Every structure is written in C-alpha cells, then in structure tokens.
Amino acid sequence: MKYNIGLNHFEKILFQYWGFQKFRSIQEEIIQSVYDGHDTLALMPTGGGKSITFQVPALAKDGICVVVTPLIALMKDQVENLKKKGIKAVALHSGMNRHELEIALDNCAYGNYKFIYLSPERLGTELFRVRLQKLKVNLIAIDESHCISQWGYDFRPSYLKIADLRELLPTVPFLAVTATATPEVVDDIQRKLGFLEERVFRMSFERKNLIYLVRNVEDKNKHLLRIVQNIPGTGVVYVRNRMKTKEVATFLQKEGYSTDYYHAGLSSEIRNAKQDDWQNNRTRIIVSTNAFGMGIDKPDVRFVVHMDLPDSPEAYFQEAGRGGRDGKLAYAIMLFNNSDKTKIQQRIDTAFPEPDEIKRTYQALCSFLGVAYGGGKGEVYDFNLMDFASAFKLSSTKAYSSLKFLEREGYIELTDELDNPSRMIIIVDKNELYKYQVANSDMDGFIKLLLRNFAGLFSDYVRIDENYIAKLSGLPIAKVTENLLKLSKAKITNYIPRKKTPLIIFTEERLDEKNLLISKENYNDRKQRYLSRVNAMLSYAEGTTKCRSQSLLEYFGEKNAYRCGKCDVCTSRNELNMSKYQFDKILEKVKLSLLEKPYSIEELIDNISHPAERTTTVIRWLLDNSKIIKNNEGLLSWNK
C-alpha cells in the first residue's frame, strides 16, 4: 500500500486500513487526546464514525485495545470487519464456554492481537481479571457509554464494573463514546468512569441534509403510501410491534412496492436474508420494530418513517439518523394522531409492572431455569421468553419488562438472541491425532477433510458448518454430526454445536422473596424518567412553534442551535412571505415586550419598530400557535 506524501501517522493508518485520506470532523482530535494518554468522552451522532476514534489510536500504539460493548451482534460484526482488514481481533461474550474464553485470552497474550471486544458482564469474572494483567493494554474503549448512567435511557448495571479496571490498569486511558447523551448523562459518564479531568469532544448532532417532519394524520397507511410514492429511493418504516411489521409490509406490497418486514422473532437466517436483500436494493422498503438498525450502515436511505411514537428522543434520534448518511437529502417523518396518547398510557402500564409482579416473575424464572436458593451466581442459561411466559401463564410483554427491571437492579443480565455457529478445536497434539487416525481408520478420511478445509484447528476454536462438510464429504448431515460428536466424546476435539437463543446470566445468587429488594425509590425514579422522556417525545410530536431540528438539538444540550428552515414548522413560517431573519427579529421584540407587560394588538404593533403588516403577520402566527394568548380584556401576553 502506497501512502500519499504528507499524510501524518494517524492518516497513514486510516488510509492503509479504511482507504480514507482525511478524518471527519472531530475524529483526529479525539484520537490525539487518547493517544496522549487522556481520558476522553466523545459525543458523536449515529454514523459519525465512532469506531475509528478508538481503532486508529490502538493500531498506532503497541499492545491491545479492550472494547466494552453491550451489543453482541454488533461486537461480532466489528470483529469480522477488522479480520477482513487483516487486523487480529477477538470477541468474548456470554455465549462462549470457559475453555473457549481461555483459548481466546491465551491467543491475545501470545498472538499479536490488537482488539478484544467483550460484553460488560465479562469484566467481573475472575478469569478475565487474572488474564487481563498479563496483557499489554493500550486503551480501554467504552462503546454506548450512556449505559453507565442511571440518567440514561438504557442503563446497564454491569457497566459500573468498568471503573474497577482502574485498579488493574491505572495508567491506561479510557475513551467513552456515545451517540445519545443529555448534559446530565455527559457529566454522569465521566463521574462513573473516574475521569480525573473533564475532557469532552462534541460533534454537533445537527444533520443539515435530514429534514424532520411530523404529520398529524388519522389514516397513517394512506399517508405512508403518499410518502413512498413521492420520495424515491430506499426507506425504513418503524412500527411498535411484530404483528404490525407484517401488516404494513403487506399493505405496501399490495400497492406494488417492493417491501419486506423484520423483527427479532424471526430466525437469524431469515433476518440476515431480509437485511441482505434490503442492503443490496433487492428490497426497497423494510418495515421493522426497533430490532432493525444496530450495525446497519446503508448510506443511501432516503426516508425513515415512524408510524408510532418512540419511547424517547434518544431512540428517535438514533433511528431517524439512519437516513441520509451519504450526506444527500433525506427525510425523517413521524406520523402522529390523538390515539397515540392513549397507547402511551398502555405502554407505561406494560413497561412498569408492579414490584410484587416483578418479584413473582423472578421466582418463576429461577424455577424455570432450575436455580437453587443461594446458587446461580455467574451462571449462564439458555432462555426462551415465549416458553417461559407460556409455562407460568404470564403476559410475554410484562414478563419481558419485569426481566429488564431485574436487569437494571443488577440481579440478572438478559441478552438479545445470540446466533452462535458450530465451533471446534483439536485438543490433542499431532502425534496423538495420528495415532487415533491409525486406530480408527473409518474416521481417517473425515479427519483429513476437516484439516484440509478448516485452518487453525490446533490453536483456536474454528467456526464450522455441518452442511458445508456434508457437501464436501458426500455424507448425510446426520452422519457428519455423529462423527463430530464421536471425535468430541473421544476427547480428540471439543465440538460445540450451533445454538441460537437469548441468554440469562445471574449476576447475583438466587434470593428468596424477602431478600429480593425492589427499591421503591429506584422504581419511582425510573418511572419518572421514562415519563419525562415520553413527554419530551409527545412535546416534539405535538409542537407547532419550534423548529424540529432545534427541538432535538436542545434536548441534547445544544443551546444555540439555528432553525433548519426546512422542517414542517419552519416551512409554515416560511409561508408568511418573510425571511427567517425578519421573522425572528420581530418575534424576539414581541416576546421581550409581552414579558414586560400585557399589550393590546394595536399597542404592540406601535411598540415594535417594524412595518405594521409584517408585525401583524407574526402576531397572528404566534396567536394561532398558542405562543401568545389574549385575555378577556383583549390584552396579549406571552404564554410561558
């Protein structure tokens, strides 16, 4: 690979592995900060290039980077992408057994690996803590760092263990990255991670090419059809439940549009196929729950439609932000009506089961998994929510909400569905293997086929595909599986068959009902924060006076954000036949006057040193949008 003359050290790495000559926005400042050994917090919107900010400095230094992330699918995806670039990386997560973890950590210690990706619950294990001290760690990167804050919308107690790494690695800098953090969460992240000094790099969350629109419509399907007809290109339509994904997709298909549906209840093969068709433009529109999006980096999404109100501005911002990543014009459209308010109350009831119900769900879970009192700590269990809910006659949605509350209280961890392919390692040396082949001539050809087609079997767990082996060998799939199990039983290999399931990890031993504490304070506090975020989302949807972009940016702490001039609120102002500058100047004077004292319309027009016609237009608009109100005596005042 030839470098362009003039590229600095970081730019050479960027060019060598990613093919770019220049960094975007604040990326290089963040890289320099952690390279110089400073704890750093990076706030970058979805699609802003967060991973490069820890991958480049880690490659620029000797040693290995530890990356903590809660999203196992995304972790595995990033590791595969690094491997394709020739960078040695490994993922450690709850779906791996102890022997796999030991082999992976040994390889990191002696095999010139550059990245360990791991889920946060792994941090507290004795195995990891002991092995970590044998590694030359150059950086600890914390992805989705808002998860460490109880103020954040996705708090995970296991993230609190990250700060314990300070004791083991006191000189290693931390880089925390997130795409969604309010000002209080920004402060909390730094405090919880033990930053010695405040060091925050902010990329503006403003997306100038993304036009935010809210449409108050009764017939959402009809309006969706209009969007699909009028905006060319690919799109995502978000809905709240799995049944609705199929309903909306079928509606669009009947209207002649290439559409598919996606949700977490589908098998991983089906999900991957649907995602691949959409990514490669064989499907134009995907209708999905919020399960769709993590790790999706399709640049040419022209519209993102929300048919239902999201739970928070954070979730909405992330999902809407999947539009227009190529920098070209894209639309984020929310369809809203009064029935959404009724649905919100139902959602609150489902999201917050009563504490006694949460306790009953915990005891049912322990019985379902066969966890004895005082046992279970650190154990990992396969888990099927539908089987669990059915066995104990529970509502699956309320059971899920109860489990998520138990997770936030620190009793368990619940992973998303994990698709772990079959893996195998040879656990004898070459001489022992040869002796086995001689003594078991019927297995000789099968073993040779494995050695020819799967490299690295003596040193690491290698992914294998039973269907592929059957095709190569001409054996039935049942015989392939039988042979693999036979080798494992003979202690020639360790063979782990493919498994697809969510997992439950017990982070504490099983407690009896009186010792299982569901803090009323935590319960009420979380409910209040949830309501606050839902109300912020309602305020956004119902608002008719504040620019949509401005409203979102101010939620995330950008106080001096400008009006975008393109959203539905701004364009309604633009129809008043005056510039944004003229409108805002008159609005500011009207506001200052009315905050001082009430005026009649005539007095107010006389008090504002602008043409009467324009001032009247602005006053009329403010009255129509309830920014100013008129009392019984006809006097105007600012509606605070």
Side-chain angles (χ1 to χ4, degrees):
M1 174 86 58
K2 290 184 179 177
Y3 301 122
N4 282 12
I5 295 168
L7 294 184
N8 67 29
H9 183 40
F10 300 139
E11 287 169 339
K12 285 177 181 175
I13 293 169
L14 182 73
F15 186 64
Q16 180 179 352
Y17 293 108
W18 286 272
F20 305 126
Q21 292 193 14
K22 292 290 175 190
F23 290 99
R24 289 155 60 184
S25 185
I26 57 173
Q27 282 178 326
E28 193 164 11
E29 295 171 69
I30 297 163
I31 289 163
Q32 189 67 58
S33 176
V34 293
Y35 185 82
D36 291 341
H38 300 292
D39 292 333
T40 305
L41 172 57
L43 304 176
M44 303 172 79
T46 303
K50 295 188 294 295
S51 58
I52 278 176
T53 63
F54 55 81
Q55 287 170 348
V56 169
L59 289 167
K61 281 186 167 185
D62 288 338
I64 193 165
C65 172
V66 175
V67 185
V68 184
T69 176
L71 305 164
I72 294 173
L74 199 56
M75 172 199 305
K76 291 161 84 172
D77 189 46
Q78 287 213 2
V79 166
E80 287 307 307
N81 286 336
L82 287 167
K83 285 179 177 177
K84 285 174 190 171
K85 297 179 196 300
I87 299 166
K88 294 179 103 174
V90 68
L92 309 181
H93 53 78
S94 307
M96 299 166 74
N97 66 29
R98 184 180 176 89
H99 189 243
E100 281 184 280
L101 292 167
E102 286 176 341
I103 294 287
L105 287 165
D106 280 346
N107 287 338
C108 289
Y110 308 113
N112 198 28
Y113 276 69
K114 290 302 295 180
F115 294 93
I116 301 178
Y117 280 75
L118 77 159
S119 44
E121 73 277 356
R122 285 278 140 222
L123 291 170
T125 62
E126 190 60 26
L127 172 65
F128 178 73
R129 291 172 68 84
V130 168
R131 298 297 184 91
L132 186 66
Q133 292 172 83
K134 296 177 182 177
L135 304 176
K136 185 180 180 182
V137 178
N138 61 25
L139 177 64
I140 294 164
I142 303 106
D143 200 6
E144 309 291 338
S145 60
H146 58 269
C147 293
I148 202 170
S149 173
Q150 285 177 288
W151 299 104
Y153 77 108
D154 193 17
F155 171 61
R156 299 182 185 227
S158 53
Y159 259 63
L160 298 171
K161 296 171 189 166
I162 298 171
D164 295 344
L165 296 177
R166 296 280 190 194
E167 297 169 27
L168 303 176
L169 305 165
T171 61
V172 178
F174 282 26
L175 170 60
V177 294
T178 180
T180 47
T182 58
E184 61 186 356
V185 171
V186 168
D187 292 339
D188 205 25
I189 291 169
Q190 294 175 88
R191 187 165 54 250
K192 294 271 174 50
L193 289 175
F195 278 35
L196 294 176
E197 57 174 339
E198 183 175 328
R199 200 171 185 88
V200 183
F201 291 87
R202 289 179 174 85
M203 183 189 287
S204 173
F205 284 16
E206 185 178 14
R207 294 284 306 280
K208 291 186 178 178
N209 65 309
L210 191 58
I211 297 177
Y212 295 99
L213 304 171
V214 175
R215 298 298 187 216
N216 199 316
V217 290
E218 285 308 311
D219 191 336
K220 292 187 180 184
N221 277 3
K222 185 177 177 182
H223 199 86
L224 174 64
L225 188 59
R226 195 178 302 164
I227 292 167
V228 171
Q229 287 167 342
N230 292 327
I231 304 175
T234 189
V236 183
V237 179
Y238 282 108
V239 296
R240 275 211 67 88
N241 63 57
R242 295 174 180 184
M243 192 184 300
K244 203 168 170 183
T245 63
K246 192 169 184 180
E247 285 174 8
V248 174
T250 303
F251 165 73
L252 289 175
Q253 285 164 3
K254 284 178 180 173
E255 294 293 335
Y257 294 98
S258 170
T259 309
D260 207 345
Y261 67 95
Y262 183 106
H263 58 72
L266 300 167
S267 72
S268 56
E269 289 94 348
I270 291 172
R271 288 205 310 272
N272 290 339
K274 287 172 182 276
Q275 184 177 315
D276 191 60
D277 283 344
W278 180 77
Q279 289 268 60
N280 292 291
N281 298 318
R282 292 186 290 271
T283 300
R284 182 186 164 201
I285 302 155
I286 199 94
V287 183
S288 176
T289 60
N290 61 6
F292 187 76
M294 285 301 176
I296 303 297
D297 196 15
K298 186 170 170 59
D300 59 344
V301 177
R302 298 276 66 90
F303 58 89
V304 178
V305 179
H306 280 77
M307 301 282 279
D308 300 295
L309 199 73
D311 281 342
S312 67
E314 289 93 336
Y316 180 66
F317 189 80
Q318 276 210 332
E319 289 161 9
R322 296 191 172 110
R325 290 194 184 179
D326 54 5
K328 296 176 185 174
L329 190 66
Y331 295 85
I333 305 165
M334 184 183 292
L335 304 183
F336 177 76
N337 59 39
N338 285 331
S339 70
D340 289 306
K341 290 183 183 179
T342 310
K343 290 173 188 171
I344 282 169
Q345 189 53 54
Q346 294 167 352
R347 208 187 298 174
I348 292 164
D349 294 342
T350 301
F352 286 88
E354 289 300 315
D356 284 349
E357 189 172 348
I358 295 170
K359 287 186 173 188
R360 284 195 300 272
T361 303
Y362 174 82
Q363 298 302 343
L365 175 72
C366 294
S367 299
F368 182 69
L369 299 175
V371 180
Y373 287 106
K377 184 172 181 178
E379 295 296 321
V380 180
Y381 300 88
D382 296 344
F383 179 72
N384 184 296
L385 177 66
M386 292 306 173
D387 289 351
F388 169 60
S390 173
F392 289 88
K393 296 183 172 52
L394 303 170
S395 150
S396 59
T397 50
K398 281 203 168 186
Y400 180 77
S401 296
S402 295
L403 294 174
K404 293 307 282 183
F405 199 90
L406 289 163
E407 180 177 53
R408 287 191 292 270
E409 287 287 280
Y411 294 115
I412 61 168
E413 293 268 351
L414 171 62
T415 73
D416 294 328
E417 184 187 77
L418 206 59
D419 183 9
N420 263 341
S422 299
R423 289 97 70 206
M424 190 179 82
I425 186 173
I426 296 174
I427 55 175
V428 295
D429 61 26
K430 289 180 182 178
N431 287 333
E432 284 295 312
L433 181 62
Y434 177 71
K435 286 177 189 174
Y436 179 85
Q437 287 172 265
V438 170
N440 299 269
S441 56
D442 59 319
M443 293 292 288
D444 182 51
F446 185 76
I447 291 168
K448 284 175 177 170
L449 181 139
L450 293 175
L451 293 171
R452 273 198 311 272
N453 289 282
F454 300 97
L457 281 167
F458 284 97
S459 59
D460 201 356
Y461 277 85
V462 174
R463 288 185 184 185
I464 58 169
D465 182 340
E466 290 86 347
N467 288 310
Y468 178 59
I469 296 169
K471 192 176 175 183
L472 289 174
S473 64
L475 295 170
I477 188 86
K479 184 62 178 173
V480 168
T481 304
E482 183 188 315
N483 283 353
L484 291 168
L485 289 169
K486 184 177 179 180
L487 288 170
S488 193
K489 202 169 182 180
K491 297 199 167 22
I492 299 298
T493 67
N494 268 353
Y495 164 58
I496 305 169
R498 183 180 186 184
K499 188 166 64 176
K500 292 185 294 179
T501 177
L503 302 171
I504 291 269
I505 303 108
F506 271 71
T507 44
E508 297 294 337
E509 68 273 6
R510 179 182 177 178
L511 300 167
D512 58 27
E513 194 154 338
K514 70 173 187 291
N515 288 313
L516 181 72
L517 302 176
I518 302 294
S519 159
K520 275 190 181 176
E521 189 180 332
N522 280 356
Y523 181 90
N524 293 331
D525 199 23
R526 289 202 180 108
K527 191 169 185 177
Q528 199 51 51
R529 282 189 219 135
Y530 179 81
L531 288 171
S532 172
R533 285 192 285 269
V534 166
N535 285 333
M537 208 61 253
L538 258 178
S539 177
Y540 173 87
E542 293 181 314
T544 56
T545 59
K546 178 167 274 187
C547 163
R548 303 289 178 200
S549 174
Q550 215 174 23
S551 178
L552 286 169
L553 294 174
E554 286 184 6
Y555 180 85
F556 290 111
E558 293 189 31
K559 296 299 181 194
N560 299 313
Y562 291 105
R563 284 206 299 124
C564 71
K566 294 174 281 194
C567 69
D568 57 295
V569 174
C570 287
T571 51
S572 76
R573 286 193 191 183
N574 296 345
E575 289 162 8
L576 302 176
N577 293 322
M578 69 180 80
S579 71
K580 170 184 177 301
Y581 175 77
Q582 290 168 332
F583 183 96
D584 286 349
K585 288 290 281 184
I586 296 170
L587 183 148
E588 189 59 29
K589 288 191 176 180
V590 168
K591 182 178 180 180
L592 289 172
S593 297
L594 293 179
L595 285 173
E596 205 173 278
K597 66 172 190 175
Y599 284 91
S600 69
I601 290 181
E602 293 77 15
E603 287 171 338
L604 188 57
I605 291 167
D606 289 342
N607 196 50
I608 306 292
S609 56
H610 282 275
E613 188 181 331
R614 284 183 179 169
T615 303
T616 304
T617 302
V618 172
I619 291 169
R620 180 57 52 207
W621 188 90
L622 292 170
L623 276 166
D624 289 346
N625 288 282
S626 305
K627 293 300 284 183
I628 57 178
I629 49 177
K630 188 189 286 187
N631 68 14
N632 294 333
E633 296 168 15
L635 296 178
L636 304 176
S637 58
W638 190 260
N639 188 3
K640 296 175 185 179

